[in-house]
């Protein structure tokens, strides 16, 4: 996509408003928007600590968050605590489904001790590089729910997930890069079959490392049940 756009730019009269396709112009705008919304502000992290910058990062990308002691979702910057150093702001829940969050921005979620759940479903710019950062928060023992469905994680990423020992629920369904030589098929909503031996072995190993975790691989069904658990 970007190579096509660059070729168009190189061959375009800079004074011509129609010299670059609409698709390419949108792609370029989207690229810079993602770059801006996911770049790391080191000074803000140093000044505020991890919780508030992480929440701001999620909100900037169109997600929502919850803070400790509240059941209400924060959906905009205007809902934030007024004081930058509010001692009550403890990030506990992240809901960033269908956003343009990227793995680069996951440096914001390092060392967040009170995070309980995080959902990044259908975030296509989230891949294996995001997981080591999130693992530092999972090491606190409070992360129980993680949704990585429809992301770009690979089997290497699943190996990292083996260290998320506190998880009770993990959704890695519909991740197209998890099964390079096979795919998961389902004949009905109550039956899950695994067409790829590599995928079956990977899930069995993950289940061995996370015996108390429900692992969702297809259609909201717990894969450990289908494997005889």
């Amino acid at each position: 996509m970007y190579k096509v756009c660059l070729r168009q730019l190189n061959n375009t009269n800079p004074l011509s408003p129609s010299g670059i396709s609409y698709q390419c112009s949108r792609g370029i705008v989207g690229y810079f928007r993602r770059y801006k919304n996911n770049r790391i502000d080191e000074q803000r992290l140093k000044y505020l600590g991890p919780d508030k910058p992480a929440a701001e990062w999620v909100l900037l990308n169109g997600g929502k968050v919850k803070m400790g002691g509240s059941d209400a979702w924060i959906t905009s910057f205007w809902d934030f605590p007024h004081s930058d150093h509010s001692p009550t702001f403890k990030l506990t829940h992240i809901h960033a489904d269908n956003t343009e969050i990227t793995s680069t921005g996951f440096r914001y979620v390092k060392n967040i001790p009170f995070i309980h759940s995080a959902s990044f479903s259908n975030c296509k710019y989230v891949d294996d590089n995001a997981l080591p950062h999130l693992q530092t928060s999972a090491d606190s023992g409070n992360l129980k729910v993680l949704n990585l469905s429809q992301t770009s994680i690979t089997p290497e990423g699943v190996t990292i997930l083996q260290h998320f020992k506190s998880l009770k629920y993990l959704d890695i369904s519909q991740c197209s890069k998890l099964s390079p030589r096979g795919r998961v098929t389902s004949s009905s909503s109550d039956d899950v079959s695994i067409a790829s031996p590599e995928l079956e072995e990977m899930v069995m190993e993950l289940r061995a490392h996370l015996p108390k975790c429900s692992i969702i691989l297809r259609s909201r069904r717990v894969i450990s049940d289908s494997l005889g658990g």
Side-chain angles (χ1 to χ4, degrees):
M1 168 81 178
Y2 297 116
K3 291 181 179 179
V4 172
C5 293
L6 286 174
R7 285 198 297 269
Q8 288 192 18
L9 284 172
N10 290 333
N11 296 323
T12 294
N13 181 345
L15 299 180
S16 172
S18 59
I20 184 169
S21 70
Y22 175 69
Q23 182 180 10
C24 281
S25 63
R26 287 190 63 189
I28 293 170
V29 171
Y31 172 82
F32 284 106
R33 180 179 62 246
R34 289 190 297 275
Y35 170 80
K36 177 179 179 293
N37 291 348
N38 289 277
R39 62 183 177 181
I40 305 301
D41 189 335
E42 299 287 0
Q43 291 299 317
R44 194 159 180 78
L45 277 170
K46 183 178 179 180
Y47 178 65
L48 295 175
D51 291 78
K52 192 168 185 181
E56 291 174 341
W57 166 64
V58 173
L59 294 171
L60 191 62
N61 281 281
K64 56 186 179 179
V65 298
K66 280 185 182 181
M67 58 185 290
S70 174
D71 291 328
W73 286 102
I74 299 174
T75 58
S76 75
F77 290 101
W78 303 108
D79 298 330
F80 262 50
H82 294 294
S83 171
D84 278 348
H85 289 289
S86 173
T88 62
F89 192 89
K90 298 175 181 178
L91 183 59
T92 57
H93 295 75
I94 293 173
H95 188 281
D97 295 359
N98 306 304
T99 65
E100 290 190 327
I101 273 177
T102 71
S103 292
T104 300
F106 267 71
R107 287 176 59 193
Y108 278 120
V109 295
K110 291 179 66 174
N111 302 313
I112 298 178
F114 300 101
I115 189 71
H116 179 270
S117 70
S119 183
F120 303 99
S121 179
N122 197 32
C123 293
K124 61 182 179 180
Y125 301 107
V126 172
D127 57 24
D128 298 344
N129 294 319
L131 300 181
H133 302 301
L134 189 58
Q135 184 184 342
T136 62
S137 295
D139 287 344
S140 68
N142 289 317
L143 183 62
K144 306 299 182 184
V145 178
L146 179 59
N147 187 349
L148 295 171
S149 61
Q150 301 180 72
T151 59
S152 298
I153 63 171
T154 72
E156 287 73 19
V158 173
T159 300
I160 300 173
L161 290 171
Q162 295 174 4
H163 303 287
F164 286 53
K165 301 296 186 182
S166 61
L167 285 180
K168 301 296 183 184
Y169 177 98
L170 172 63
D171 191 338
I172 52 173
S173 62
Q174 301 181 61
C175 293
S176 59
K177 295 184 179 181
L178 284 184
S179 182
R181 287 188 289 172
R183 63 176 182 171
V184 183
T185 58
S186 178
S187 58
S188 72
S189 59
D190 296 321
D191 178 56
V192 179
S193 60
I194 300 179
S196 165
E198 296 90 345
L199 184 58
E200 180 174 1
E201 181 179 354
M202 177 184 65
V203 173
M204 291 293 286
E205 185 174 358
L206 181 61
R207 180 187 174 212
H209 283 83
L210 305 176
K212 298 180 180 180
C213 180
S214 295
I215 302 172
I216 310 299
L217 190 64
R218 179 75 174 180
S219 71
R220 324 307 300 173
R221 176 78 171 174
V222 180
I223 193 65
S224 57
D225 289 344
S226 72
L227 295 177

